Amino acid sequence: MGLIGKLAGQTAIYGISSIVVRMLSYLLFPYYTHILGTEQYGVVTDIYALIPFALVVLTMGMESSYFRFAGKTDEAGKRHLFATTWGITSLAAALFAAVVILLRTPIGHALGEVYVEQPLYIVLMALIVMFDVWATIPFSRLREQGRAVRFVTLKIVGIVIQVALAFAFGEAGLYQSEFGVGWVFVANLASSVVTWLLILPSCDGVLPKVDWAQLRVILAYSMPLLIGGVAGTAGEFLDRQLIKWLTPGGEAAFAELGIYGAVTKIAVVMLLFTQMYRLAAEPFFLSNFRKEEFVETNAAALKYYVMVSMAIFLGIALFKDVFALLAGPEFREGVYILPVILIGHLLAGVWLNLSFWYKREEKTRYAIYVTFAGVAANVVANVVLIPRLGYYGAAWARLISEAVMVAISWWLNRKYFPTPYQWGRIGEYVVLGLVLYFACSLADDATESLWVQYGVSIVALGAYALYAGWRERLFEMIRHKLKK
C-alpha cells in the first residue's frame, strides 16, 4: 500500500480542495436554474461547453509535458521548462482572443442567432479563455511542486469572487436586463483575471519566454496529446452543439440544451471524483519510478477508482429525485437520464487510468487513436439518437463514446504494455452496483411509499459499501491502523 497510499493521500488533498471549490461553484447551479429560463440556461451551457475545448487546444498538451520533462531535470532546468511552456501557451491564448474578438460577427452567425444579437458574449468567452490559459501552467507548476495549499487557496479565492458577483448581479436584477446571461460571463471573467493576478507571485520571478529549440522537443511529446485532447474534449462539447443543431426550433433547441446541461450538473460528484483523481494521478504516474512499481500501482489504482465510483453512482442514481430538487422546476423533467451520464463519467476515469502507460513511455501517438475513435462514435451515435430521443440520446451517445475509448485503451494496453489489472474484481463492483440499482428501480415501481423506496435504496448502498470493504479487507486495515 506504499505507493497506492501516497496516491490516495494526494487524491484526498486535491479532493478536499476540489470539493470546496466545486461546492462553492455548485451554488451557482441551483441559483441560475431558478432565476433563468431553460433557453437562457441553454446559452450558459453552450458557452461553458466551448470554453474547455478552447482551453485544451491552447494549452497544447503542455501540462502533461511539463510534468514529464520536469521529472527529468534539476531545478534550473525546471525553471527554463516552465518559462517555455508558459510562454507558448500565453502567446497562443493572446492570439486566440485577438482573432475571436475581431471575427465575433461571423463566429456569432455560426454559433446561433443569440450570439448575433449579443456579440459581447463571444468577446467575454474569448477573454475568459485567455486569462484561464495564462494561469494554467503556473497552476501545473504548483501541482508539480506539491504546493497543494497554495493551489487550493487560489482556486477558492477565484470561485468565491465569481459566486459573490453572480449573486450580486442577480440581486441587482441584471439577469433580467437586455444583456441577460452576459452577466454570468462577466462574473467569470472577473474571477479569471483576479486568479491570474494572484498566481503571478507564485512564479518566483520566472517570465514566460519561449526557447524554440526546447519547444521542438516538447512538441514532439505534446502534439499527440494535443490532438488526442482536442478530439477528447470535442466529445464533451459535440453533444451540446448537436443538440442545438439537431433539435428543431431555435428556442426549443436551447431549452433542450439547458435541461441537458442542468442534469449533467447534478452528476457533479462523480465528475468531481474523476477530476480530483486526475489532478493527483497525472503528476504521480508521470514521475520517474521503476516500471514494476508503476505497473503494480496503476493496476491497484484502477480497481479502487472503480470501486469508489460505483459507490458514488449508487449514491446519486438511487436518490436522483432528491438531487433533482437542486434544479429549477423547469429542468427536473430530464433527471431520468442521470444514471447514463454517471456511467459515462465513470468510464472517462477508466480510460484516463489506461492512458498513463503510453504517456509514461512517451508513446503519446496512441492518444490520437483512442480519442479520435471516441469522437467518431460520439458523432455517429448523436446523429442517430438525438433526432429520436433528444437529450437522452446525447447522454447515451456520450456513454457509447467513452465505452469505445475504454475498449481501445484496454486493447492497446494488453498488446503493448500488459498491466495486471484485476478485471474480475473490477467487474464484480460494476455488476453488483448495476444489479442493486435495477433492483431498487423495480422496488420503486412496486410501491408508492417514499419511505419504503428510500429505505430500500439506503440498504442497497450500505450493502455495496460493506461488500467492497470486506472484499478489499479495508476493515482489517482500519483496525490495524487504530491499534497502532
Side-chain angles (χ1 to χ4, degrees):
M1 288 292 290
L3 287 174
I4 199 68
K6 181 181 178 182
L7 175 59
Q10 292 182 11
T11 302
I13 292 171
Y14 285 110
I16 293 169
S17 68
S18 296
I19 288 170
V20 173
V21 170
R22 281 283 182 164
M23 289 307 294
L24 289 170
S25 175
Y26 204 65
L27 293 174
L28 296 176
F29 159 60
Y31 183 64
Y32 286 150
T33 55
H34 279 81
I35 66 170
L36 302 176
T38 53
E39 297 87 355
Q40 289 179 300
Y41 194 72
V43 176
V44 175
T45 300
D46 195 29
I47 291 291
Y48 284 132
L50 293 169
I51 287 176
F53 179 71
L55 291 175
V56 168
V57 172
L58 297 170
T59 53
M60 297 181 284
M62 289 295 164
E63 285 185 280
S64 293
S65 299
Y66 179 75
F67 294 137
R68 186 58 182 153
F69 288 99
K72 296 181 174 184
T73 188
D74 57 16
E75 192 57 38
K78 289 180 181 179
R79 291 172 66 88
H80 192 70
L81 173 68
F82 173 60
T84 295
T85 52
W86 189 23
I88 191 61
T89 53
S90 298
L91 176 62
L95 292 174
F96 166 82
V99 170
V100 170
I101 291 170
L102 287 173
L103 300 178
R104 59 188 179 277
T105 300
I107 291 173
H109 282 284
L111 291 178
E113 187 63 31
V114 65
Y115 303 108
V116 177
E117 297 174 2
Q118 295 286 358
L120 194 52
Y121 291 178
I122 295 173
V123 173
L124 290 169
M125 179 194 71
L127 293 175
I128 290 168
V129 168
M130 183 180 75
F131 282 101
D132 284 354
V133 172
W134 284 358
T136 295
I137 301 302
F139 271 117
S140 298
R141 186 168 184 254
L142 292 180
R143 288 166 60 195
E144 185 270 330
Q145 293 176 332
R147 296 165 69 181
V149 173
R150 182 71 173 167
F151 180 95
V152 171
T153 302
L154 293 177
K155 290 288 186 180
I156 290 176
V157 168
I159 197 61
V160 166
I161 291 171
Q162 184 177 351
V163 171
L165 286 175
F167 278 97
F169 293 158
E171 288 301 309
L174 295 179
Y175 298 123
Q176 283 70 50
S177 68
E178 185 179 348
F179 192 50
V181 296
W183 291 103
V184 172
F185 312 128
V186 171
N188 192 334
L189 177 58
S191 169
S192 297
V193 172
V194 172
T195 301
W196 173 70
L197 290 172
L198 290 176
I199 203 172
L200 290 179
S202 300
C203 299
D204 301 325
V206 179
L207 297 176
K209 184 179 180 181
V210 181
D211 181 333
W212 296 100
Q214 184 183 45
L215 181 62
R216 283 193 291 272
V217 177
I218 295 171
L219 287 175
Y221 177 86
S222 70
M223 283 307 293
L225 294 178
L226 167 60
I227 297 170
V230 167
T233 311
E236 300 207 4
F237 86 93
L238 272 173
D239 51 2
R240 273 76 165 174
Q241 297 303 308
L242 289 171
I243 287 173
K244 193 168 63 175
W245 298 115
L246 295 176
T247 302
E251 288 190 359
F254 273 100
E256 290 262 312
L257 183 57
I259 294 170
Y260 181 71
V263 177
T264 58
K265 283 286 188 182
I266 297 174
V268 68
V269 177
M270 181 72 83
L271 185 62
L272 174 61
F273 177 62
T274 302
Q275 180 189 28
M276 74 184 197
Y277 177 73
R278 180 186 66 81
L279 287 171
E282 192 168 43
F284 178 83
F285 282 120
L286 297 184
S287 62
N288 279 330
F289 51 85
R290 292 184 296 111
K291 179 179 178 179
E292 294 78 10
E293 293 176 329
F294 173 87
V295 168
E296 179 184 352
T297 308
N298 189 243
L302 181 59
K303 178 186 67 175
Y304 289 119
Y305 169 82
V306 173
M307 180 188 76
V308 176
S309 293
M310 285 307 299
I312 294 171
F313 166 79
L314 288 173
I316 300 175
L318 294 178
F319 302 95
K320 59 183 180 293
D321 293 337
V322 176
F323 282 95
L325 297 176
L326 293 168
E330 293 180 84
F331 298 84
R332 295 170 194 167
E333 66 180 62
V335 73
Y336 66 94
I337 72 172
L338 187 57
V340 178
I341 292 173
L342 290 169
I343 294 296
H345 286 329
L346 184 153
L347 292 176
V350 172
W351 79 259
L352 169 70
N353 207 300
L354 293 171
S355 74
F356 288 131
W357 75 266
Y358 58 71
K359 291 179 181 178
R360 180 184 184 275
E361 297 296 303
E362 299 183 9
K363 296 180 179 179
T364 49
R365 65 184 183 277
Y366 292 129
I368 300 174
Y369 308 153
V370 173
T371 50
F372 268 85
V375 169
N378 191 309
V379 172
V380 171
N382 271 302
V383 170
V384 171
L385 297 175
I386 288 176
R388 294 170 173 79
L389 303 175
Y391 52 75
Y392 192 37
W396 272 106
R398 180 66 185 278
L399 188 151
I400 291 168
S401 172
E402 300 290 357
V404 167
M405 289 191 283
V406 167
I408 295 174
S409 297
W410 169 81
W411 182 82
L412 288 170
N413 177 269
R414 186 179 181 186
K415 183 176 177 64
Y416 298 109
F417 198 88
T419 303
Y421 295 114
Q422 298 180 45
W423 293 113
R425 186 71 59 84
I426 291 169
E428 284 181 30
Y429 295 135
V430 173
V431 171
L432 176 61
L434 293 177
V435 167
L436 289 171
Y437 170 73
F438 287 115
C440 289
S441 297
L442 291 174
D444 289 349
D445 293 337
T447 178
E448 295 183 359
S449 171
L450 290 178
W451 291 105
V452 173
Q453 292 174 3
Y454 293 149
V456 171
S457 296
I458 291 170
V459 170
L461 182 59
Y464 177 88
L466 289 172
Y467 178 81
W470 167 78
R471 202 74 172 89
E472 299 301 325
R473 298 182 177 177
L474 297 179
F475 304 123
E476 293 181 21
M477 286 189 283
I478 292 171
R479 282 197 297 269
H480 180 70
K481 291 288 185 182
L482 292 175
K483 287 180 180 179
K484 286 186 175 182

